[in-house]
Amino acid sequence: MKVIAIGRNYAAHAKELNNPLPTSPVIFMKPDTAVLKDNKPFYLPDFSSDIHYELEVVLKICKEGKHIAEKFASGYFDEVGLGIDFTARDIQNIHKEKGLPWELAKAFDNSAAISHFIPKDKIEDLNNLQFELKINGETRQNGNTSNILFSFEKIISFVSQYITLKKGDLIFTGTPEGVGQVQQGDKLEAWIGEEQFLNFDIK
């Protein structure tokens, strides 16, 4: 499986990082070794002093597809969960200044924490999905999919023009505003509505 992530998909987040609004989805990828499951702790790496959390809705692809028309794209994912896109912001900023790829800042081991998944038909309205991240009991991110720049269907269609999607692939769909640094000892908890999806520690 592969992890495909969308950058700058919430206008307020793009603004808080002083990034221009994209006119098409911004894509980056994480390898399977980035996946952190089952609420296992995240260990701060020694190569960065500024690891940031980014809470995102994650789609699980349910069948293979390429050149998918947007009107059919909803048939290519059947489950939804939450994930944290951990980012080495200090490394990313250096690479952005030099016009280099983001992989060292985004694709390192355990940088994609993922929750359990639920069938998408259990969600009343995917276009009005409320999700929240608390750190040490304090709300840090409170997002709603009604604010995304590119819909889930648009993302799937766009990506599939370049990269074949396969069953089990994960798509991180972008983070709302409120990102920030994690510290050793922090507890991260995340919800969709009233259901908790993530609960793990930073070590």
Side-chain angles (χ1 to χ4, degrees):
M1 54 81 70
K2 52 189 176 286
V3 179
I4 298 165
I6 310 300
R8 305 173 187 173
N9 201 24
Y10 289 78
H13 172 61
K15 183 178 180 181
E16 75 178 348
L17 295 187
N18 297 313
N19 291 323
L21 291 182
T23 56
S24 60
V26 175
I27 307 295
F28 61 93
M29 296 182 70
K30 293 173 178 268
D32 57 359
T33 49
V35 172
L36 180 65
K37 296 180 178 179
D38 303 324
N39 284 312
K40 291 178 181 175
F42 173 83
Y43 288 86
L44 292 168
D46 57 10
F47 52 73
S48 172
S49 60
D50 192 18
I51 298 292
H52 280 213
Y53 58 84
E54 298 186 6
L55 178 66
E56 313 200 11
V57 175
V58 182
L59 312 179
K60 183 182 284 188
I61 298 299
C62 61
K63 62 181 178 180
E64 184 171 323
K66 57 182 178 180
H67 301 293
I68 300 165
E70 190 172 336
K71 64 182 178 180
F72 299 127
S74 63
Y76 285 82
F77 74 100
D78 60 355
E79 294 183 289
V80 176
L82 291 178
I84 303 284
D85 167 21
F86 284 111
T87 303
R89 193 71 74 201
D90 44 0
I91 294 175
Q92 186 187 39
N93 288 338
I94 291 170
H95 284 221
K96 284 167 64 177
E97 289 171 5
K98 296 180 179 181
L100 297 173
W102 298 352
E103 266 65 22
L104 288 182
K106 289 282 195 179
F108 56 90
D109 287 353
N110 298 328
S111 63
I114 58 169
S115 71
H116 65 281
F117 287 82
I118 62 171
K120 69 177 183 182
D121 57 16
K122 287 191 174 182
I123 296 173
E124 186 175 340
D125 185 358
L126 285 170
N127 298 312
N128 187 25
L129 186 156
Q130 193 75 26
F131 58 106
E132 179 184 16
L133 173 69
K134 290 185 178 182
I135 298 183
N136 305 325
E138 177 187 345
T139 297
R140 297 292 185 88
Q141 289 186 280
N142 205 337
N144 191 293
T145 55
S146 64
N147 295 318
I148 57 179
L149 299 175
F150 305 106
S151 69
F152 296 162
E153 293 78 15
K154 175 67 176 177
I155 290 167
I156 288 171
S157 176
F158 180 85
V159 170
S160 75
Q161 307 308 308
Y162 301 85
I163 301 166
T164 297
L165 296 174
K166 293 191 172 183
K167 184 176 181 178
D169 288 349
L170 303 178
I171 299 182
F172 279 60
T173 60
T175 193
E177 72 274 18
V179 303
Q181 189 176 13
V182 289
Q183 307 284 352
Q184 190 172 16
D186 284 347
K187 176 174 283 292
L188 276 61
E189 299 172 275
W191 286 263
I192 292 176
E194 299 298 317
E195 181 177 350
Q196 188 177 70
F197 278 72
L198 289 167
N199 182 357
F200 67 99
D201 298 315
I202 305 295
K203 293 189 175 182

